[in-house]
Amino acid sequence: MTDPTGAPSADPTTAFHQRLIDDAAAAVRGLTVSLGERLGLYRVLAEHGPLTPAELAEHAGVTARYAQEWLHAQLSADYVERHPSSDKYTLPEAHASVLADAGSATYAAGFFTALKALYATEDLLVDAYRTGEGVGWAEHDPALDTGMGSFFQPTYRHRLLPDWLPALEGVTEKLANGGSVADIGCGVGHTTLLIAKAYPRARVYGFDYSEEAVAIARQLADDAGLSERVVFETASADDYPGSGYDLVTFFNCLHDMGDPVAAAQHVHKSLDQDGTWMLVESNVSPADIDTRTPAARMFMSLSAVMCLPVAVAQRGPHALGNHSGEKAFRAIAEEAGFTRWRRATETPVNAVYEVRP
């Protein structure tokens, strides 16, 4: 078969086969990214490069042979550049902000450390798909807590305080004056600690049903010197303690809950009559299944192997998946008794909703 110019062209099967090989390469490459993150290889290249494999090994505390093989994998992926005359490797500045700088808004390498947890539950997922049962969050390795927390943390760090909270009516003023916050599904506490640090007069509580995540959150609070101002407790979204909160936050977790209506009802009960529920969810919907954007592809796959099984495991009336969309979330809020709903702001990945009694 030839194209109009006379050059040979691949048939559809061959083209798709090559695409699948590309996907397989990406799946394996993800492990090399996790290794690069955990061993500090990207950071060393960013700070000290260009480096030979031996120099990288010396700076990072790994063996030279492994450093060389890892660099070859990064070069084949176009993550690093090589200088043939000197056999030195460079991490381009544009790549460093994604792979090496944890403070960057575009940092994403931390996500790949969650792969250990996701791949390790494959046998459980096979059984779940056959039986209709779920795979609970606690059945995953704790690397899922830290990996997913690391994935969302850059966006939270760069968006929560300057953009998202100010987009909510009157919330920043309340927090500055000593208001109370309940961060539900807080995970390892990144968002909880950001709020506490920014508003020293506020009373801040973080609740999560994962004991492992809460333990990590408490340690992070100690490390940040905030343990006296932030309380972390193990609790689920429909039974966390306290009432009269000025702000209740859910960051990318309502879709993981087996009974989101019960969770929303508890939020309604726990809020001050003039309080605000800040609901942050993935900025995708059922209509995005066909869009094939990078964010949509990421969320669709995560939903199939993590979000949906976690919700099913709770044996509730709902199993939303992470791309249920605004219409579904608004219906849940209205069923729980909320009367005011507004999309306050958004990013390509997240939608931020202001929900009020």
Side-chain angles (χ1 to χ4, degrees):
M1 182 183 295
T2 60
D3 66 19
T5 67
S9 61
D11 66 86
T13 298
T14 300
F16 181 70
H17 178 254
Q18 289 303 305
R19 175 187 161 187
L20 195 65
I21 295 300
D22 285 342
D23 288 348
V28 178
R29 186 184 308 126
L31 182 55
T32 74
V33 177
S34 180
L35 290 170
E37 158 61 19
R38 295 179 64 185
L39 294 168
L41 301 176
Y42 294 118
R43 290 189 292 275
V44 167
L45 275 174
E47 293 171 6
H48 303 286
L51 296 173
T52 65
E55 290 168 339
L56 173 63
E58 181 178 358
H59 281 289
V62 301
T63 64
R65 184 65 184 89
Y66 276 110
Q68 181 184 50
E69 205 77 357
W70 181 83
L71 284 167
H72 289 174
Q74 306 308 297
L75 182 65
S76 72
D78 291 328
Y79 287 4
V80 302
E81 297 173 349
R82 181 172 62 180
H83 308 270
S85 61
S86 61
D87 195 33
K88 290 194 173 187
Y89 294 78
T90 299
L91 184 65
E93 184 177 349
H95 298 191
S97 65
V98 179
L99 292 168
D101 183 4
S104 167
T106 55
Y107 178 71
F111 167 80
F112 293 86
T113 62
L115 294 179
K116 176 175 71 172
L118 292 174
Y119 277 102
T121 58
E122 181 181 351
D123 288 346
L124 297 178
L125 285 168
V126 169
D127 291 340
Y129 269 64
R130 287 173 173 160
T131 65
E133 298 297 323
V135 180
W137 192 276
E139 296 181 80
H140 292 279
D141 186 274
L144 190 62
D145 290 306
T146 54
M148 294 307 299
S150 179
F151 175 59
F152 288 112
Q153 184 183 11
T155 298
Y156 297 156
R157 183 188 296 118
H158 288 269
R159 296 283 191 172
L160 176 59
L161 299 177
D163 300 331
W164 294 358
L165 288 178
L168 307 176
E169 183 181 348
V171 166
T172 55
E173 292 84 352
K174 290 179 181 178
L175 299 186
N177 292 326
S180 58
V181 183
D183 188 10
I184 312 305
C186 65
V188 296
H190 291 313
T191 49
T192 326
L193 296 174
L194 283 171
I195 294 171
K197 187 174 182 179
Y199 297 97
R201 295 179 62 187
R203 293 162 289 140
V204 183
Y205 304 85
F207 301 108
D208 198 283
Y209 82 132
S210 169
E211 294 181 1
E212 292 85 357
V214 168
I216 295 170
R218 288 171 176 164
Q219 184 59 56
L220 291 177
D222 284 339
D223 295 343
L226 294 171
S227 57
E228 294 185 0
R229 295 204 292 110
V230 184
V231 176
F232 287 106
E233 294 184 12
T234 303
S236 63
D238 58 3
D239 71 354
Y240 60 87
S243 61
Y245 290 111
D246 295 295
L247 176 66
V248 172
T249 59
F250 279 50
F251 291 93
N252 290 289
C253 63
L254 185 67
H255 65 259
D256 290 329
M257 298 175 185
D259 195 347
V261 174
Q265 289 170 336
H266 194 68
V267 174
H268 193 280
K269 178 182 177 182
S270 71
L271 275 174
D272 180 78
Q273 62 181 2
D274 192 38
T276 299
W277 179 19
M278 178 183 181
L279 178 62
V280 180
E281 278 291 341
S282 51
N283 196 9
V284 289
S285 71
D288 293 310
I289 295 173
D290 296 323
T291 62
R292 297 180 176 86
T293 64
R297 285 179 173 176
M298 164 75 83
F299 281 121
M300 303 303 166
S301 294
L302 277 176
S303 196
V305 302
M306 183 184 72
C307 302
L308 180 63
V310 165
V312 171
Q314 298 169 52
R315 300 178 180 274
H318 292 277
L320 295 174
N322 64 22
H323 50 284
S324 305
E326 180 174 356
K327 183 178 179 180
F329 293 127
R330 182 170 186 170
I332 288 168
E334 291 175 350
E335 185 175 348
F338 288 93
T339 62
R340 286 175 285 178
W341 175 279
R342 182 171 70 94
R343 180 184 283 245
T345 187
E346 64 183 325
T347 72
V349 174
N350 291 118
V352 181
Y353 305 110
E354 178 185 76
V355 193
R356 305 185 69 182

